[in-house]
Amino acid sequence: CIHTPMAHYKQTNVLFILLCIYSAAHPRFFNQLYGGERWRDGCKVILQYFLAPVFTVMEKAVLKKMIEMIGWEDGDGLFNAGGSLSNMYAVNLARFRHCPDMKECGMSASPRLVLFTSQECHYSITKAAAFLGIGTKNVYVVPSDERGKMIPGALEELIVKATREGAQPFMVNATAGTTVLGAFDPIHQIADICEKYGLWLHVDACWGGAALLSKKHRDLLKGIHRANSVAWNPHKMMMTCLQCCAFMVRDQTNLLQHCNSAKASYLFQVDKFYDVSFDCGDKSIQCSRKPDAFKIWLLWKALGTSRLAQRVDRALAMAQYLTQQIKGREGFRLLMEPEYTNVCFWYIPPSLRHLPDCPELWEKLHKVAPVIKERMMKKGSLMIGFQPHGDRANFFRMIIISPQVSTEDMDFVLEEIQSLGQDL
């Protein structure tokens, strides 16, 4: 609103202004992989046990519970400032395991290292390679099938190809719940390949990790217990306050500590009066951290695992309901059957319905979603993302999370899109 002319500003719908401020908390916010209540965060920091003893113990308790849900007997981990940082931790840790001398000697001690991830992965994997000096050209992109899942055979072919080129593969990133299509990579098959070639397997479950709570849907992440590390963001499907992101490692040899420790003597003295293993700051890239684990600890205590699972089940049920409604309404067309709660679809205005599937149709349809998005935001009625994908024209990417959402809301979405776009 800062750059909006005053004359226009005065006419702006008040609801639109409120939507800009509180949009993620609105039950009709379907735009991103998060949503729900937003409260003020605590101001305490986690670094040394005596600075925040209760929050430090809470973090350990929450991580222990999440590690159990992954299926590990034990492990390590920490909360951090986002899923992108969790994935960066994974790349750095996998590299340290493969080339421990790099911590002291830097890039001069490194061969040409390469990692592998699907074409549907989160962009943070490429950013991590750039930030850590691995190089974006050393991220080998594995083709995905028509559902958006990594193809294991193609992964193995690329590993062999990279090795023949003289590179050293060190890590594979699998995705459990891709950002666009909500696809889950076949973790068991990928884990077989990683074990065969001695590669670190990281699972980016930032979006899809919450399915582990559900007895009905946890098989979406079948094989995740075989991963070396996992990223899981409770601020997504579990609806804790932003930010709340966990990075967990199956390793029990303090690898995370060895990788990141700087042993600052003025902070991490070994002769304190308490168990210094509670001083978690030295295994983190950050120094001080907010007590983000408190948010999920409090939510988990308040609702319990069963009610959190109900949230997941309800979101997937609403996605299925919306899918069926799309199939039954003229002018709406699914991109594909959803696997998670990412429902991707086109709205085809009446003026385009006479056209067959041809370049003319897709060229014109590409312009429809942006206009409808603009109209819905100015009206203040909805917020739904849109995007192209490969050679596909712009489509709506509907994300369903909030437990407040009902079948009436799903019907409203389609009716509102139709109302806003029928004249195009």
Side-chain angles (χ1 to χ4, degrees):
C1 295
I2 294 172
H3 304 292
T4 305
M6 185 56 67
H8 179 72
Y9 176 80
K10 291 178 180 178
Q11 299 173 8
T12 302
N13 192 318
V14 174
L15 183 58
F16 173 53
I17 299 172
L18 292 174
L19 190 63
C20 290
I21 300 171
Y22 298 110
S23 59
H26 196 283
R28 288 177 181 166
F29 176 85
F30 305 107
N31 202 77
Q32 241 71 39
L33 309 187
Y34 57 80
E37 301 85 3
R38 294 285 175 258
W39 306 309
R40 290 186 178 275
D41 300 336
C43 59
K44 284 279 189 177
V45 298
I46 296 179
L47 172 62
Q48 296 165 290
Y49 173 72
F50 71 85
L51 292 177
V54 175
F55 289 132
T56 301
V57 174
M58 280 181 176
E59 178 169 289
K60 282 183 172 287
V62 172
L63 287 169
K64 184 175 185 293
K65 182 67 175 178
M66 295 175 78
I67 283 168
E68 288 175 1
M69 302 203 79
I70 291 171
W72 298 337
E73 292 183 4
D74 199 358
D76 195 6
L78 48 81
F79 278 76
N80 60 74
S84 293
L85 187 56
S86 291
N87 289 337
M88 192 173 295
Y89 269 112
V91 176
N92 193 44
L93 194 60
R95 181 176 67 174
F96 177 76
R97 196 278 301 259
H98 188 82
C99 296
D101 290 344
M102 281 192 63
K103 181 176 179 179
E104 294 184 355
C105 301
M107 301 300 292
S108 62
S110 172
R112 182 188 163 214
L113 299 177
V114 296
L115 63 93
F116 305 84
T117 190
S118 85
Q119 66 189 53
E120 299 289 334
C121 79
H122 192 261
Y123 63 85
S124 58
I125 299 299
T126 303
K127 278 195 170 187
F131 185 81
L132 294 169
I134 292 168
T136 58
K137 288 186 177 180
N138 292 318
V139 178
Y140 279 48
V141 179
V142 184
S144 300
D145 63 18
E146 68 282 354
R147 300 284 306 163
K149 300 171 180 288
M150 183 189 290
I151 302 172
L155 168 63
E156 186 162 17
E157 288 176 7
L158 282 175
I159 292 171
V160 172
K161 178 177 181 290
T163 304
R164 285 175 179 167
E165 292 172 351
Q168 289 191 19
F170 73 101
M171 173 188 171
V172 175
N173 172 71
T175 309
T178 59
T179 305
V180 179
L181 302 178
F184 288 75
D185 287 340
I187 300 174
H188 261 314
Q189 293 170 269
I190 295 170
D192 288 341
I193 294 169
C194 288
E195 289 179 4
K196 179 177 178 180
Y197 293 96
L199 307 182
W200 183 281
L201 173 58
H202 173 64
V203 176
D204 175 359
C206 289
W207 172 220
L212 291 169
L213 295 160
S214 168
K215 294 178 181 178
K216 186 176 181 181
H217 299 291
R218 66 173 291 117
D219 277 355
L220 288 169
L221 297 104
K222 201 169 185 178
I224 194 171
H225 64 282
R226 299 176 65 187
N228 298 99
S229 58
V230 172
W232 178 358
N233 289 0
H235 73 224
K236 295 188 184 295
M237 181 64 79
M238 294 175 77
M239 294 185 63
T240 58
C241 301
L242 280 170
Q243 63 201 31
C244 188
C245 314
F247 173 67
M248 293 158 288
V249 188
R250 179 157 50 100
D251 171 81
Q252 298 176 32
T253 65
N254 290 323
L255 188 66
L256 195 58
Q257 178 85 14
H258 297 318
C259 178
N260 297 319
S261 173
K263 299 180 180 178
S265 60
Y266 65 93
L267 288 174
F268 305 112
Q269 304 92 339
V270 297
D271 52 354
K272 292 175 182 172
F273 66 91
Y274 56 82
D275 181 357
V276 294
S277 67
F278 282 93
D279 287 348
C280 55
D282 209 19
K283 66 183 178 184
S284 167
I285 294 173
Q286 299 166 258
C287 188
S288 300
R289 294 184 290 125
K290 283 190 173 183
D292 294 327
F294 175 60
K295 305 165 190 175
I296 183 60
W297 181 91
L298 188 62
L299 182 70
W300 217 322
K301 282 290 186 181
L303 297 181
T305 302
S306 61
R307 286 183 62 190
L308 287 173
Q310 288 171 14
R311 287 186 168 189
V312 176
D313 292 341
R314 180 176 175 80
L316 276 118
M318 289 297 102
Q320 285 302 312
Y321 175 84
L322 179 64
T323 299
Q324 295 308 312
Q325 293 301 306
I326 289 171
K327 289 178 178 179
R329 286 182 182 243
E330 185 180 8
F332 288 88
R333 181 170 171 179
L334 277 175
L335 186 75
M336 63 178 61
E337 288 279 344
E339 186 173 23
Y340 204 38
T341 69
N342 308 44
V343 184
C344 301
F345 62 93
W346 291 281
Y347 171 68
I348 306 172
S351 66
L352 301 181
R353 291 175 195 169
H354 68 284
L355 294 174
D357 279 3
C358 62
E360 182 186 1
L361 169 65
W362 297 113
E363 182 181 350
K364 292 183 176 181
L365 194 59
H366 187 70
K367 303 173 183 178
V368 170
V371 175
I372 295 177
K373 172 66 177 281
E374 178 184 355
R375 290 177 176 181
M376 69 173 62
M377 289 195 67
K378 288 181 175 178
K379 183 178 177 183
S381 58
L382 277 175
M383 195 180 290
I384 304 174
F386 72 87
Q387 67 172 86
H389 185 263
D391 59 356
R392 297 179 172 111
N394 277 323
F395 55 85
F396 289 108
R397 183 196 62 156
M398 174 90 169
I399 305 298
I400 303 170
I401 299 177
S402 173
Q404 304 174 65
V405 170
S406 64
T407 55
E408 288 78 11
D409 290 309
M410 299 295 96
D411 293 337
F412 176 83
V413 166
L414 300 184
E415 290 162 5
E416 184 72 354
I417 289 174
Q418 186 170 3
S419 173
L420 295 171
Q422 63 183 350
D423 65 328
L424 297 177

